[in-house]
Structures are given as C-alpha cells and as structure tokens.
Amino acid sequence: MATRIREKAEKRAKEKDNRPYAKVKYIRISPSKVGLVLDNIRGKKAVEALAILENSTQGSAEVIVKLLKSAIANAENNKGLNRDDLYVAETWVGAGPTLKRINIRARGRADRLLKRTSHITIILDVVK
C-alpha cells in the first residue's frame, strides 16, 4: 500500500502546474464586478495588463493590480522569469461566502441584503 501512495504522490508532483500564480480570497466585491475587469486583461502581456488596470476606473481594479504585482513577483523570485516575457494566461473569480444582512423596510418588514465576496486567481505564463 505504501508503494501505491508513493506512486500517486510522484504522479501528482509530475503533473503539477508549475506556472507562477497568485490568489486572493474573501475580497468584499461581488464576483460579477470582478469578472468584468478580469476579462479586460486575460491574454495580455503582464506589463500591458498592469497599465490597463492602473488606468481603470473600476473599484475592483485596485485589488487586481495588487494581485497581478504579486503574481509577477512570484514569477521573478520563485521561478527566475523575466517580467517582460510574462503574459496573463488564466484568470478567474469564484464566489466566496455571502454575508447576509437585513435591510429594514416600512410596516415592520425586512428585506435580505446579500453582501457577496470573491476569490480571485491569476496565472501567468511565458510568451513562446
């Protein structure tokens, strides 16, 4: 049984995605708003994507700039890659936990407010 576990571990290590990436979790912005900004930078060179985000007026662009800079730093320090050769290979946003709040209404009623959170991932790759 131990050899089977070792074989599985070796197979997982061999098939692991070694591209540089960065993740951020529990960001208090809805995934639909973040997704619109991520669509603008997907497939672009990393330096160009940074310029697009820094000139964007969307609120989520500030968080994504920080995340992209982190991914670039991971590529340079951990993988020894040049920042000019990098491009944004994959980006996605997932829904995090939703905070449920109450909005008080007339006649003693209450409405539900859903404050959504996001988990954002950026994966970089080298231009070939």
Side-chain angles (χ1 to χ4, degrees):
M1 181 162 160
T3 54
R4 179 73 177 132
I5 293 172
R6 198 173 314 114
E7 289 170 0
K8 282 178 155 180
E10 290 170 358
K11 183 181 177 190
R12 258 194 313 272
K14 187 173 64 174
E15 293 176 357
K16 184 175 182 250
D17 189 6
N18 284 324
R19 298 181 293 180
Y21 70 95
K23 291 181 184 179
V24 65
K25 292 182 161 189
Y26 306 108
I27 294 299
R28 269 286 296 121
I29 305 170
S30 75
S32 57
K33 292 178 184 177
V34 175
L36 294 172
V37 178
L38 289 179
D39 289 341
N40 290 334
I41 64 166
R42 193 176 294 123
K44 302 255 190 328
K45 292 191 86 163
V47 178
E48 182 183 342
L50 263 178
I52 290 170
L53 289 172
E54 287 172 347
N55 292 309
S56 175
T57 58
Q58 298 281 344
S60 60
E62 188 177 327
V63 174
I64 298 173
V65 163
K66 200 170 181 180
L67 184 64
L68 183 57
K69 285 181 179 178
S70 174
I72 292 170
N74 289 341
E76 289 176 332
N77 294 323
N78 301 342
K79 307 287 183 188
L81 302 173
N82 186 3
R83 76 180 321 163
D84 297 328
D85 298 337
L86 298 172
Y87 77 99
V88 181
E90 294 179 38
T91 61
W92 68 84
V93 59
T98 302
L99 305 173
K100 288 146 178 110
R101 300 293 182 258
I102 293 174
N103 189 15
I104 299 169
R105 304 304 299 259
R107 296 181 168 186
R109 295 182 182 148
D111 280 349
R112 175 66 57 95
L113 281 178
L114 300 176
K115 298 188 176 223
R116 303 188 187 278
T117 61
S118 303
H119 301 324
I120 310 167
T121 304
I122 294 179
I123 297 178
L124 303 178
D125 205 355
V126 178
V127 175
K128 293 182 172 106

